[in-house]
Amino acid sequence: MGSASSIVFSGIAPHPPIMVPEVGGESAAEVAWSIEAMAELTRRIIASGAESIVLISPHAPLQRSDFVAYDSPAVRADFAAFRAPQVEFELSLDTELLQAISRSADGAQYHVVPIHNPDLDHGTAVPLYFLRQNGWTGRVVALGYSFLSNEDHLRFGSCIAKAIDETGRSVALIASGDLSHRLKLESPAGFNPTAYIFDDEIVDALRSNTPERIVNIDQDLRSLAGECGYRSMLIVLGATSELPRACEVLSYEAPFGVGYLVAQLTNKVEGSAAIDSLPALAREAVESFIRTGTVIRQKAGTGLLAARAACFVSLKTLDGELRGCIGTVEPVKDTLAAELIANAINAATRDSRFSPVTPDELPNLRYSVDVLSAPEPAEITDLDPAVYGVIVEDETGSRRGLLLPDLQGIETVSDQVAIASRKAGILPGDPVRLARFRVDRYGE
């Protein structure tokens, strides 16, 4: 689960200069939600204990096959180009962290080219303006992406994560980027009637806590949207791929025909709490129902428990023997909290392999929760039982079997598919359709 990572927070921030009140004037009122959300984003970054911020901008002086980094000891920002020369600030560069990122990138055959000009582009300056306005005083590493492949940007993100962990510095990652630029007839990049679908896909992926959908988004749709910042997001997603996800959309609006998104991707404070709180919620749900017949009510709050996601709840004895396991392949409740409570109670009372749990057994049970990503169609060559769970369906879709990943005794893809097929009542040799999914596992 990556709990030892020094990445304590990650998120997405927009960068329209019109958001800066001294630049936008009265027009800034039309992005009030974004301005308020940036204050909340800053509060969470500060609460995470981040010492430095790594920010990736699409508007740095880009290189075709190299990544770029501002390398002056102090980086500056002003908005003179946007008729507000009085707005200026300076931040210290985290030189040690930048050097570590450069070394890590070199080890993966990527190169970070230094930008000697200390003046920041607006894709970097606008988010940092709001971070400073709302109390951020730490250091910064300001990067720009490249024109390499999407996979290269994910891998570069992994290089950043490795460098952060090597320094031991608590760091927040911010992907600077606006979504579609073609949402209205008067949009600066023109209008495309399908551009809104790109924004809807991004926002829905985050609201459902399945950010991997962003990686797999239709690239033709992305092109039609005229976005900026997608590769910034890929870098941050690559850096945080092993961390507990706690996605939350803090705001989304598009008053000028460009989509502005403020969002949280991961938060170590919430993620660490989730490691404890998900099994604890399962325990509370089962013990309340078995002892009193009462289904507890859980306010989802924010982050992971507020997301809409499928999950499995497993009960085991202190000796490690399975005592019940039931879950959902796709979410049926509005929040993970509600999904977890229902599945926990069903695992304790409705698993046909076992009799219902009795009150005397409760002190001797341990709980684990597997939170599932959205299933994606797969071929047999796409499977890996250590990494992916599998769903096997017959051709009509009327019979379906599921097997979670990383189960003891399941070593090969053929074993995994055979067992899932057997659970569905599908005979060997019958035609099947396959899907795969990942899980985040939380246990006591």
Side-chain angles (χ1 to χ4, degrees):
M1 294 297 300
S3 59
S5 174
S6 293
I7 298 173
V8 294
F9 186 91
S10 65
I12 301 168
H15 56 240
I18 201 169
M19 275 179 63
V20 176
E22 295 90 340
V23 173
E26 293 182 359
S27 296
E30 297 195 48
V31 286
W33 288 354
S34 298
I35 292 171
E36 292 175 9
M38 285 301 295
E40 174 62 15
L41 188 80
T42 307
R43 185 196 67 76
R44 296 185 184 196
I45 291 172
I46 294 171
S48 75
E51 302 170 65
S52 295
I53 285 176
V54 174
L55 190 146
I56 301 97
S57 167
H59 295 298
L62 303 185
Q63 301 281 326
R64 176 158 297 280
S65 58
D66 296 319
F67 299 92
V68 297
Y70 293 91
D71 74 337
S72 299
V75 291
R76 299 193 304 261
D78 70 59
F79 291 88
F82 302 98
R83 299 183 299 280
Q86 74 278 19
V87 182
E88 56 183 346
F89 59 86
E90 189 173 276
L91 286 166
S92 296
L93 175 71
D94 190 333
T95 305
E96 181 187 357
L97 179 55
L98 175 55
Q99 290 172 347
I101 291 172
S102 296
R103 289 194 303 271
S104 179
D106 285 342
Q109 309 304 312
Y110 299 117
H111 188 46
V112 178
V113 175
I115 301 172
H116 300 304
N117 183 354
D119 296 323
L120 299 172
D121 65 276
H122 76 271
T124 306
V126 172
L128 290 180
Y129 167 89
F130 286 101
L131 293 172
R132 288 185 76 259
Q133 286 290 106
N134 292 291
W136 168 258
T137 59
R139 292 179 290 177
V140 65
V141 172
L143 304 173
Y145 57 56
S146 72
F147 293 99
L148 294 171
S149 71
N150 291 347
E151 185 63 32
D152 285 314
H153 285 79
L154 292 167
R155 289 174 183 157
F156 182 65
S158 298
C159 295
I160 293 174
K162 180 181 178 182
I164 291 170
D165 290 344
E166 285 177 355
T167 64
R169 186 103 74 248
S170 296
V171 175
L173 296 176
I174 298 296
S176 171
D178 298 332
L179 301 188
S180 175
H181 287 52
R182 297 170 177 164
L183 297 173
K184 292 185 177 181
L185 290 174
E186 62 272 24
S187 298
F191 174 67
N192 187 290
T194 61
Y196 75 94
I197 301 174
F198 176 82
D199 290 27
D200 286 353
E201 286 288 322
I202 298 289
V203 170
D204 187 63
L206 298 179
R207 285 180 173 156
S208 64
N209 207 45
T210 54
E212 63 274 7
R213 287 168 51 191
I214 295 174
V215 177
N216 298 319
I217 201 165
D218 186 307
Q219 295 299 298
D220 290 335
L221 176 61
R222 172 193 159 201
S223 178
L224 290 174
E227 57 75 34
C228 78
Y230 178 74
R231 282 170 285 188
S232 299
M233 287 186 266
L234 290 183
I235 290 172
V236 174
L237 290 170
T240 59
S241 62
E242 299 300 319
L243 300 183
R245 296 166 294 184
C247 297
E248 184 178 352
V249 174
L250 303 182
S251 75
Y252 171 79
E253 56 187 345
F256 309 118
V258 178
Y260 304 142
L261 172 68
V262 183
Q264 171 181 290
L265 296 172
T266 65
N267 187 336
K268 195 166 187 177
V269 174
E270 292 184 8
S272 298
I275 292 172
D276 297 326
S277 67
L278 268 66
L281 180 58
R283 174 181 289 278
E284 182 184 359
V286 170
E287 292 185 351
S288 174
F289 188 82
I290 297 300
R291 288 183 173 133
T292 69
T294 302
V295 178
I296 64 171
R297 294 186 177 184
Q298 169 71 19
K299 184 178 180 181
T302 62
L304 185 58
L305 284 171
R308 192 166 187 265
C311 71
F312 272 71
V313 179
S314 299
L315 286 60
K316 290 185 177 180
T317 68
L318 296 182
D319 295 329
E321 296 295 323
L322 184 65
R323 186 61 182 84
C325 179
I326 281 182
T328 43
V329 178
E330 296 176 348
V332 297
K333 305 290 186 181
D334 290 336
T335 66
L336 175 59
E339 197 92 16
L340 190 160
I341 290 167
N343 291 345
I345 292 171
N346 287 338
T349 61
R350 296 188 177 182
D351 189 328
S352 59
R353 297 168 294 179
F354 305 98
S355 59
V357 168
T358 66
D360 290 343
E361 292 180 89
L362 294 175
N364 299 313
L365 295 179
R366 291 291 180 266
Y367 297 78
S368 65
V369 179
D370 288 331
V371 181
L372 279 61
S373 69
E376 57 183 11
E379 302 295 334
I380 195 79
T381 54
D382 298 323
L383 301 180
D384 181 342
V387 177
Y388 297 105
V390 68
I391 300 168
V392 180
E393 289 183 338
D394 65 9
E395 288 188 308
T396 67
S398 60
R399 291 178 292 173
R400 172 189 280 184
L402 176 146
L403 208 63
L404 295 170
D406 197 25
L407 297 179
Q408 186 174 1
I410 309 297
E411 304 293 341
T412 67
V413 169
S414 59
D415 287 344
Q416 187 186 41
V417 172
I419 294 171
S421 299
R422 191 159 60 244
K423 290 174 70 174
I426 299 172
L427 297 176
D430 284 357
V432 295
R433 296 184 301 209
L434 302 174
R436 69 180 188 180
F437 60 89
R438 290 180 180 268
V439 305
D440 287 332
R441 183 162 290 162
Y442 305 90
E444 292 183 320

